[in-house]
């Protein structure tokens, strides 16, 4: 029976072993600011204690580098294990404890790798960028209490009480709904609500953004160096060519992941700043998103591996390979212009942007133009990301059309610009007025207003001229908001058409044409 079964372990023996081990550690771990390692071999009762600080400070430079590298990699591995454990735990307090310990281990690993770089001159950029990304992930995990505390400005105790009250109300409402069998349709989410990090605090987003930018800064020179080292195609150096292509593709993949996450973080951070009228911070976040989006599009050329000597089958294969990347970037692109539209529309309707945000209409219009230029500018001719100019050889001309299509797919013409025959753009914000409308009830007639063939653009310009400065800024920014929303609508139209099986109806064009 169950009562006669022997116990799995003896509590007295476990207590005795723990007491012996603690006494052993107290006796031997006596040095200040020293790192010790306690290790037991598998299937062996023998336990060994190592003084890591003494080993790492050995006279041998090779032994010191070895132990520093070992400590850095072990800290990284333990941090990853804590991340796995944190995903299983349900208690928020335990998760916060794990995250704090994880950040400490990752920060220690970065410091050790920096010390190792000072010893041997090797930067270890790949693992450093990976650690920085993991550090950013620790700040992007949702903490419901912290989010509600930030939004409501209360203490943790107050927030928890309010949460319990809200849960009770939800339970009562759910019981009432089940009794009456009422079925209500939920509103469909917008572009921003379907994106990640909706419950992360502004402080967490800001810290994650800093770590992601540091990771990109670490890896970017490596990619530029790999692209500048053009591999040869001779038979004797075929192995070197393959190795260089694999290295470039791996760097591009890691950089693309960092860019993709940074764009989401920056856009979500911009939304947080828009709620608090932090105009300069919101503008900076939107500019970062636009520039990194342009860089991410440039990385696709290296990531997919487009070459000049590719067959039609290779074109179809690589087009199918890059399709999910382009779809994800288009969603981010639509989210970017949606945020820009929210900013412009809020500025035109709320005077607090001038009082608390210290912004004017020209600042908002300048931001939107910078975003458009950053997204729609193409890379240089030789395809090097962020590099200088270069000539295009005759062998590369066959793939130039495909490459330009990938690089400039973000330059979607807003439907409002198409319908107005290029009259309504971010560089022409007077809008359009019916030719039957008058300019101003108080203005004296001029030769221009007497002309019956006066265009809608000219009438709109004269309407703005007769407005006061603040009213003129509001109307110009409101027109800019409509252009931003229209561009987002154009991207969504393209995505919808592709989902139905088409190749896309959004029109693109290069700047200057």
């Amino acid at each position: 029976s169950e009562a006669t079964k022997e116990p799995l372990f003896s509590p007295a023996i476990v207590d005795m072993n723990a007491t012996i081990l603690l006494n052993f550690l107290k006796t031997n771990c006596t040095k200040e600011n020293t790192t010790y390692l306690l290790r037991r071999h598998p299937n062996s009762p023998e336990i060994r204690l190592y003084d890591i600080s003494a080993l790492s400070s050995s006279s041998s430079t090779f032994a010191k580098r070895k132990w520093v590298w070992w400590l850095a990699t072990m800290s990284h591995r333990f941090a990853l294990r804590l991340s796995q454990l944190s995903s299983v735990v349900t208690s928020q307090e335990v998760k916060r404890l794990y995250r704090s310990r994880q950040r400490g281990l990752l920060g220690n690993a970065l410091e050790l790798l920096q010390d190792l770089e000072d010893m041997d001159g090797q930067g270890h950029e790949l693992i450093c960028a990976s650690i920085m990304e993991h550090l950013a992930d620790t700040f992007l995990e949702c903490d419901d209490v912290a989010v509600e505390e930030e939004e409501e400005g209360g203490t943790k105790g107050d927030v928890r009480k309010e949460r319990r009250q809200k849960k009770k109300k939800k339970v009562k409402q759910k019981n009432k709904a089940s009794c009456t069998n009422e079925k209500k349709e939920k509103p469909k989410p917008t572009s921003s609500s379907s994106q990640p990090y909706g419950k992360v605090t502004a402080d967490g987003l800001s810290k994650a953004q800093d770590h992601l930018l540091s990771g990109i800064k670490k890896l970017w020179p490596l990619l530029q160096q790999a692209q500048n080292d053009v591999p040869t195609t001779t038979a004797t150096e075929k192995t070197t060519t393959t190795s260089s292509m694999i290295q470039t593709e791996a760097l591009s993949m890691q950089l693309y992941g960092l860019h993709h996450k940074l764009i989401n973080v920056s856009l979500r951070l911009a939304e947080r700043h828009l709620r608090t009228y932090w105009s300069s911070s919101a503008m900076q976040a939107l500019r970062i998103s636009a520039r990194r989006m342009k860089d991410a599009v440039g990385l696709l050329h290296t990531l997919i591996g487009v070459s000049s000597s590719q067959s039609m089958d290779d074109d179809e294969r690589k087009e199918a390979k890059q399709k999910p990347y382009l779809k994800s970037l288009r969603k981010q692109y639509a989210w970017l212009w949606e945020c820009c539209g929210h900013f412009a529309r809020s500025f035109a309707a709320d005077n607090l942007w001038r009082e608390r945000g210290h912004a004017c209409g020209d600042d908002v219009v300048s931001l939107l133009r910078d975003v458009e230029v950053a997204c729609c500018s193409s890379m240089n001719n030789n395809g090097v990301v962020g590099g200088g100019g270069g000539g295009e050889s005759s062998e590369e001309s066959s793939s130039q059309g495909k490459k330009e299509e990938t690089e400039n797919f973000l330059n979607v013409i807003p439907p409002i610009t198409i319908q107005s025959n290029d009259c309504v753009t971010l560089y022409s914000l007077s809008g359009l007025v019916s030719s039957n409308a008058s300019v101003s009830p108080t203005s004296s007639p001029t030769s221009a207003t007497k002309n019956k063939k006066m265009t809608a653009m000219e009438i709109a310009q004269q309407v703005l001229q007769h407005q006061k400065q603040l009213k003129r800024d509001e109307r110009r920014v409101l027109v800019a908001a409509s252009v931003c929303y229209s561009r987002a609508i154009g991207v969504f139209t393209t995505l919808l058409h592709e989902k139905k099986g088409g190749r896309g109806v959004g029109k693109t064009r290069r700047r200057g044409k």
Side-chain angles (χ1 to χ4, degrees), residues 392 396-408:
E392 178 186 355
E396 296 175 345
S397 59
S398 60
S399 63
Q400 186 65 22
K402 205 68 165 177
K403 175 180 163 185
E404 290 180 358
E405 181 182 352
T406 303
E407 293 168 2
N408 298 280

Side-chain angles (χ1 to χ4, degrees), residues 283 287 360-372:
M283 291 178 183
R287 285 190 173 98
C360 63
D362 292 337
D363 295 335
V364 179
V365 174
S366 177
L367 164 70
L368 302 180
R369 291 174 180 174
D370 290 345
V371 170
E372 184 182 33

Side-chain angles (χ1 to χ4, degrees), residues 187-220:
K188 295 182 179 180
T190 60
S191 174
S192 59
S193 61
S194 61
Q195 297 293 343
Y197 314 132
K199 294 184 178 181
V200 183
T201 63
D203 182 63
L205 291 169
S206 180
K207 292 178 180 178
Q209 185 186 55
D210 294 338
H211 286 300
L212 292 172
L213 286 171
S214 300
I216 292 174
K217 187 177 180 181
K218 271 283 185 183
L219 286 182
W220 203 260

Side-chain angles (χ1 to χ4, degrees), residues 432-440 449 451-457 459-460 463:
L432 298 176
V433 178
S434 174
S435 58
N436 296 326
S438 60
V439 177
S440 175
T449 57
N451 187 3
K452 294 182 179 180
K453 295 183 179 180
M454 188 175 182
T455 62
M457 174 72 70
I459 297 176
V463 170

Side-chain angles (χ1 to χ4, degrees), residues 124-145:
H124 305 283
E125 291 85 357
L126 292 176
I127 188 172
C128 284
S130 177
I131 291 174
M132 291 172 183
E133 184 176 4
H134 289 307
L135 268 172
D137 291 337
T138 61
F139 292 100
L140 296 177
E141 295 181 8
C142 175
D143 190 346
D144 294 335
V145 175

Side-chain angles (χ1 to χ4, degrees), residues 310-476:
Q310 59 183 8
S311 62
M312 188 64 66
D313 295 337
D314 293 335
D315 287 342
E316 295 178 355
R317 178 178 57 83
K318 288 168 182 175
E319 184 178 357
K321 186 178 179 181
Q322 72 180 2
K323 189 174 181 180
Y325 297 102
L326 296 179
K327 181 180 179 180
S328 177
L329 282 173
R330 282 194 176 101
K331 290 182 178 179
Q332 290 181 329
Y333 186 64
W335 187 15
L336 170 63
W337 284 108
E338 183 183 355
C339 289
C340 290
H342 291 340
F343 187 16
R345 181 171 60 95
S346 176
F347 177 86
D350 195 346
N351 293 327
L352 288 177
W353 281 106
R354 294 183 177 87
E355 299 175 4
R356 295 175 57 182
H358 305 289
C360 63
D362 292 337
D363 295 335
V364 179
V365 174
S366 177
L367 164 70
L368 302 180
R369 291 174 180 174
D370 290 345
V371 170
E372 184 182 33
V373 171
C375 289
C376 301
S377 58
S378 60
M379 299 194 311
N380 52 22
N381 293 330
N382 62 357
V384 178
V385 180
E392 178 186 355
S393 63
S394 58
E395 296 179 356
E396 296 175 345
S397 59
S398 60
S399 63
Q400 186 65 22
K402 205 68 165 177
K403 175 180 163 185
E404 290 180 358
E405 181 182 352
T406 303
E407 293 168 2
N408 298 280
F409 85 100
L410 292 179
N411 194 4
V412 177
I413 306 175
I416 191 174
T417 301
I418 299 174
Q419 295 175 3
S420 63
N421 294 327
D422 293 343
C423 291
V424 179
T425 64
L426 291 178
Y427 296 88
S428 178
L429 296 173
S430 60
L432 298 176
V433 178
S434 174
S435 58
N436 296 326
S438 60
V439 177
S440 175
T442 60
S443 61
S444 59
T446 61
S447 59
T449 57
K450 294 178 181 179
N451 187 3
K452 294 182 179 180
K453 295 183 179 180
M454 188 175 182
T455 62
M457 174 72 70
E458 293 172 347
I459 297 176
Q461 291 175 355
Q462 289 201 6
V463 170
L464 285 179
Q465 289 176 3
H466 289 84
Q467 298 292 335
K468 294 182 179 180
Q469 181 64 36
L470 293 180
K471 182 64 69 174
R472 184 161 58 245
D473 286 347
E474 290 178 0
R475 294 194 175 185
R476 291 177 68 249

